[in-house]
Amino acid sequence: MQQASDSTLKRLKASVRRLIRASGYDVVPVAPRDPRYGGASYDASQQLPPGAAEALRPDHPRLHELREAYARVELPMARPTMWGGDYLKDELELTRFRGDNPYVWQFRNVGAFAQYKYYFYMRDVAQCDRHDLLHRLTEDGAFGCWTFAYPGWPVVSRDLLDSINELCFLDRHTGILDRPGFTVLDVGAGYGRLAHRALAAAPQLGRYLCADAIPESTFLCEYYLGFRNCLDRAEVLPLHQLDERLRGRTIDLAVNIHSFSEMPTRAIDGWMQRIASLGAEWLLVVPNDGERLLTMEEDRSRTSFDAVIDAHGYTLELKEPVFADPTMRAFMGVTDHFFLYRRRGK
């Protein structure tokens, strides 16, 4: 009986295929969907550096200390919305913190044909790269980072390309790569991606201060900037010591890359109070919503935070898409913009 059923089904399939072919089409197998396009992932092909598994374990005493300290902090930035609850549990593998996760989307942001999209992204970055950062900075794929290799070009990653693109933008408008002693405060610094790249790109850069309201971010940033030998000029500022560590200092630039968009208004206001008190001349914001500056409130509602920045004395100097070429924006499916503010009176 089973043989007869199988035979009948085969004949039926053949008849259907003949009808489809007669219409000028054919049936082809569909490749299984790449799981990297749908959720968190990491490249496990490279071994972890020596000692990393022990240093980055979830029950590490330093991480426990930071979690407990942050829970006691009474600052407007201390109660996360988007990054609260089980978000990091579901999305982040500590030992592979440079994979596709909340810090940097590497496949989910571009969808199919990532290998080709990153090639054109790399070529686009090369056109503005007057400091030859594509060749001076390197990508080793450590800690689960997805990498892309093309004949005749250095190995690249989303971390590397985003960082070079951001540094090229800042250099065009603030001269960051040629200004000795320039001091930066990175709000929402994550694992220290931009800090690492900025310090490698600009040996004359002054201090690079990293702040974040998420204990896992501070934990990873301390480890990663130490791993990259950046702690001679980089400082990681734990939230419970933030005001003490900032007291009496001045900065030239504050940056917020895809972080204000994940905070409530009260948190953005808290950070802006500190940025203004430090006398920052420049403020770079890259929101998550194209040309809109939207918060993430406790009830998941969204509201504009333009007025918060303005209230602290900053005026929009210029706004540029991260990809100047509209065809590149459409091809990449990325509509992010650079918002560069300047302190009034400067």
Side-chain angles (χ1 to χ4, degrees):
M1 178 65 70
Q2 182 63 41
Q3 288 182 344
S5 298
D6 289 345
S7 177
T8 301
L9 183 59
K10 286 180 181 178
R11 288 198 300 272
L12 179 59
K13 286 181 177 179
S15 299
V16 171
R17 189 168 189 179
R18 282 195 297 271
L19 289 172
I20 292 172
R21 283 177 168 176
S23 302
Y25 296 91
D26 200 356
V27 178
V28 296
V30 177
R33 180 177 175 79
D34 191 324
R36 295 176 299 182
Y37 297 135
S41 64
Y42 57 82
D43 185 354
S45 64
Q46 292 203 45
Q47 290 189 346
L48 290 171
E54 172 65 19
L56 298 172
R57 67 182 198 272
D59 63 346
H60 194 283
R62 176 55 175 166
L63 180 54
H64 178 73
E65 175 189 357
L66 289 168
R67 284 171 172 161
E68 293 221 321
Y70 281 31
R72 294 191 300 267
V73 171
E74 295 185 5
L75 291 175
M77 307 90 81
R79 299 293 174 265
T81 51
M82 182 170 169
W83 285 66
D86 292 330
Y87 183 53
L88 285 183
K89 274 186 196 172
D90 297 336
E91 287 277 324
L92 177 64
E93 166 60 50
L94 281 177
T95 59
R96 309 290 182 171
F97 61 88
R98 295 186 68 227
D100 187 315
N101 58 45
Y103 294 117
V104 181
W105 280 18
Q106 297 163 37
F107 282 96
R108 285 180 285 182
N109 62 302
V110 295
F113 306 112
Q115 183 78 13
Y116 303 103
K117 290 184 177 183
Y118 282 116
Y119 173 75
F120 287 103
Y121 186 2
M122 177 188 65
R123 296 295 297 260
D124 188 72
V125 163
Q127 293 181 32
C128 75
D129 183 16
R130 70 183 185 91
H131 289 272
D132 196 29
L133 300 182
L134 266 174
H135 292 89
R136 288 176 49 215
L137 307 183
T138 58
E139 179 54 76
D140 57 12
F143 306 105
C145 184
W146 293 107
T147 61
F148 304 87
Y150 308 99
W153 292 89
V155 174
V156 298
S157 67
R158 181 67 185 256
D159 171 315
L160 180 65
L161 295 177
D162 278 1
S163 299
I164 293 175
N165 203 28
E166 290 153 7
L167 290 170
C168 286
F169 171 84
L170 285 169
D171 190 55
R172 287 196 303 273
H173 301 294
T174 73
I176 184 175
L177 298 181
D178 292 317
R179 290 178 61 177
F182 203 77
T183 301
V184 182
L185 171 64
D186 193 335
V187 172
Y191 65 77
R193 168 187 69 84
L194 188 56
H196 165 226
R197 301 304 188 181
L199 292 168
Q204 77 285 0
L205 197 67
R207 307 299 290 176
Y208 198 108
L209 313 177
C210 297
D212 205 296
I214 307 301
E216 288 81 1
S217 297
T218 302
F219 174 70
L220 291 172
C221 197
E222 288 177 344
Y223 172 83
Y224 187 61
L225 294 182
F227 176 81
R228 296 297 187 189
N229 299 312
C230 293
L231 292 178
D232 56 336
R233 289 181 294 150
E235 293 182 44
V236 184
L237 311 179
L239 189 66
H240 61 294
Q241 300 171 350
L242 181 68
D243 288 337
E244 176 189 347
R245 300 276 294 273
L246 290 177
R247 190 173 296 120
R249 308 183 79 149
T250 59
I251 61 172
D252 299 290
L253 165 72
V255 298
N256 184 273
I257 312 295
H258 299 299
S259 179
F260 278 170
S261 297
E262 299 168 352
M263 301 180 192
T265 302
R266 58 171 169 74
I268 298 171
D269 184 64
W271 287 115
M272 286 303 306
Q273 287 178 27
R274 287 152 181 83
I275 289 168
S277 70
L278 294 166
E281 177 180 0
W282 299 100
L283 167 65
L284 172 64
V285 176
V286 182
N288 289 349
D289 304 285
E291 297 184 69
R292 298 183 299 166
L293 299 170
L294 300 177
T295 66
M296 177 64 72
E297 302 298 330
E298 286 87 344
D299 62 0
R300 315 303 284 183
S301 63
R302 315 292 302 281
T303 185
S304 173
F305 60 86
D306 291 272
V308 180
I309 295 176
D310 181 75
H312 289 283
Y314 288 85
T315 300
L316 185 64
E317 185 88 353
L318 60 96
K319 178 179 66 175
E320 289 182 9
V322 297
F323 297 120
D325 186 337
T327 303
M328 268 295 295
R329 294 199 292 274
F331 177 62
M332 291 293 293
V334 173
T335 60
D336 295 345
H337 279 67
F338 296 122
F339 286 70
L340 185 65
Y341 295 85
R342 195 168 193 177
R343 188 179 175 90
R344 287 194 285 275
K346 287 287 187 178

